[in-house]
Amino acid sequence: MSVIDLRSDTVTQPTPGMLEAMARARTGDDVYGEDPTVNQLEAELARRLGFAAALFVPSGTMSNLLALMAHCGRGDEYIVGQQAHTYKYEGGGAAVLGSIQPQPLEVQADGSLDLAQVAEAIKPNDFHFAQTRLLALENTMQGKVLPLSYLAQARAFTRERGLALHLDGARLYNAAVKLGVDARVITEHFDSVSVCLSKGLGAPVGSVLCGSVELIGKARRLRKMVGGGMRQAGGLAAAGLYALEHQVQRLADDHANAQLLAEGLRQAGYSVEPVQTNMAYVQVGERAEAVKAFAAERGIRLSAAPRLRLVTHLDVNREQIGQVVSTFAEFSRN
Ligand SMILES: *Cc1c(COP(=O)(O)O)cnc(C)c1O
C-alpha cells in the first residue's frame, strides 16, 4: 500500500522525467559561476518573472534570509506577517544572522497585511528607532492568493514610503495558476521574489531568489557567507528547469483535489475553511493526535493540529482523495 502523505507538498518524489533530466545535466563549479545548468535556471526564472538577475540557493529559508539581508542592514527593520514563514518558521534567521529587527503584524483573513496598520508601524526618522526598510509579503499565504489589486496598492504604498517590497513566493506558481495569469503579473509589483522549486513544483531541492543585478550581487556574496555556495549543482538545477517546463500547469490538479477533499470532509460533517489552492484546513479540535494515529494505521500521514492543514501535491491522486475522505468519515463515526 502506498502511503498518502498530506503533511506538506515538500514530500514529493522526483518523477521519472525529472530524474532523467537530472542525470543528463551538464555541470560545472557554480561558486566560480561555471555551472551551465545553474546559470540556465537563474536566467530562465529571471526572464519568466521579469527580473534582471537571479540566484539558485539550497532552500527557501536561505533565499528569504539573503533577500532580507540584502535589503536591510544591521539595526534596520522589516515589517512582516505574524504568521509569515520569514518571521515565524525560519529560526529567527533575519534577527540572528542579519541583526534585522522584525516588526510583525497580524495577517488579515485574506492573507494580506492591512496597509493602514503597516503605515502606523513604520518608524519615524528619529534616532530612537530602528529604520524601517522593507515590507515582506507571502503569496500564497496559508493557501490563500493575495488579490492583484492589493499587490498594486502595496507597490504604490511602499514606493510612496520609500520601502522595498519582498515576496516570499514559495508557492508563487500556485497563486498564478489559481488566478490564471502569467506569474509575472504577480511578481512585477516586487523588488525581490523568492520561489521554491521543492514545494508544489516537485523538485527535490532548491529555491531561486530574483531581483536587480545589485541586489542579487549582494545576495551572492551573502550566500557564500552562510555556506550556500554549491559546486556541481547542475543536477539540482535541471530538476528545477524540468519542473518549470512540465509541472506548473498541473498545479491545477492539486487545487481541484484540495477542493474535492474539502467537499468530501464537509459532507462527512467536518468544518473546513474555503479552499483556494492546494491546502485544506479542517477543524479537528482536541482530536488531532487521535485522527493522526487513526489515519496512520490506514496508510495516511497527517500532521497533528486542532486546525489541521491537509496539503495536496504531485504524489496524491484523485482516487487517493476518496480514500482520505472515507478514512475521516470512518473516524468521525467512531
Ligand atoms: C517552505 C516555505 C519556505 C521555505 O522553506 P524551505 O523548507 O527552507 O525551503 C518559505 N516560505 C514559505 C511560505 C514556505 O512554505
Side-chain angles (χ1 to χ4, degrees):
M1 185 174 63
S2 69
V3 171
I4 305 169
D5 195 337
L6 297 175
R7 291 172 302 164
S8 175
D9 47 8
T10 54
V11 299
T12 56
Q13 296 291 324
T15 54
M18 180 178 280
L19 285 171
E20 209 176 293
M22 293 173 74
R24 273 202 317 267
R26 289 193 301 134
T27 61
D29 189 326
D30 181 48
V31 171
Y32 288 105
E34 292 170 2
D35 188 297
T37 314
V38 171
N39 292 343
Q40 191 190 339
L41 173 66
E42 291 175 349
E44 181 64 21
L45 258 175
R47 185 188 67 75
R48 285 184 185 226
L49 303 186
F51 289 93
L55 184 69
F56 183 50
V57 294
S59 70
T61 298
M62 188 181 289
S63 186
N64 282 325
L65 173 67
L66 301 186
L68 294 171
M69 289 177 71
H71 283 295
C72 304
R74 182 160 190 249
D76 287 345
E77 176 182 84
Y78 80 114
I79 299 178
V80 62
Q82 186 81 50
Q83 295 81 6
H85 203 280
T86 47
Y87 174 64
K88 194 172 176 186
Y89 299 99
E90 295 180 5
V96 176
L97 301 164
S99 300
I100 303 162
Q101 164 169 293
Q103 168 62 70
L105 297 176
E106 199 64 23
V107 173
Q108 304 294 293
D110 67 356
S112 69
L113 291 175
D114 179 350
L115 295 176
Q117 285 179 24
V118 174
E120 268 180 44
I122 296 172
K123 310 293 179 286
N125 185 6
D126 170 317
F127 59 67
H128 289 87
F129 303 117
Q131 287 195 276
T132 312
R133 297 280 185 209
L134 173 75
L135 174 62
L137 299 177
E138 186 173 312
N139 196 13
T140 62
M141 174 76 198
Q142 299 194 348
K144 289 171 191 158
V145 181
L146 299 183
L148 292 174
S149 58
Y150 173 76
L151 299 184
Q153 284 164 19
R155 173 73 284 180
F157 170 85
T158 49
R159 277 228 174 90
E160 194 185 300
R161 304 303 300 261
L163 303 184
L165 186 58
H166 172 69
L167 178 65
D168 177 354
R171 297 186 179 84
L172 167 70
Y173 280 101
N174 292 88
V177 166
K178 173 66 187 181
L179 292 174
V181 300
D182 193 296
R184 189 195 278 246
V185 172
I186 296 170
T187 57
E188 68 183 358
H189 298 291
F190 293 88
D191 297 302
S192 55
V193 173
S194 169
V195 181
C196 284
L197 302 166
S198 58
K199 300 277 167 83
L201 294 183
V205 173
S207 287
V208 177
L209 178 66
C210 298
S212 67
V213 170
E214 192 198 349
L215 190 92
I216 295 302
K218 283 189 194 171
R220 193 174 287 278
R221 171 177 280 276
L222 292 162
R223 183 184 69 171
K224 193 78 190 79
M225 193 177 87
V226 298
M230 297 183 284
R231 304 294 178 172
Q232 285 71 31
L236 298 173
L241 282 163
Y242 182 90
L244 288 172
E245 203 56 52
H246 301 282
Q247 295 180 172
V248 171
Q249 289 313 318
R250 64 150 306 285
L251 291 170
D253 300 344
D254 299 343
H255 301 171
N257 283 338
Q259 285 288 357
L260 196 67
L261 178 58
E263 284 159 24
L265 293 180
R266 283 190 201 111
Q267 275 169 22
Y270 290 89
S271 164
V272 189
E273 295 171 26
V275 168
Q276 293 186 22
T277 56
N278 69 330
M279 294 181 188
Y281 284 88
V282 54
Q283 300 298 335
V284 293
E286 52 199 30
R287 302 224 287 165
E289 287 294 347
V291 71
K292 177 184 169 175
F294 186 86
E297 283 170 19
R298 288 153 185 83
I300 299 166
R301 294 190 84 167
L302 305 177
S303 313
R307 176 175 176 253
L308 180 63
R309 185 184 80 161
L310 305 174
V311 189
T312 56
H313 52 73
L314 190 58
D315 290 346
V316 180
N317 61 36
R318 209 179 153 81
E319 192 190 327
Q320 291 171 317
I321 295 295
Q323 283 174 246
V324 174
V325 169
S326 311
T327 300
F328 271 82
E330 195 187 333
F331 176 77
S332 73
R333 287 194 296 268
N334 282 348

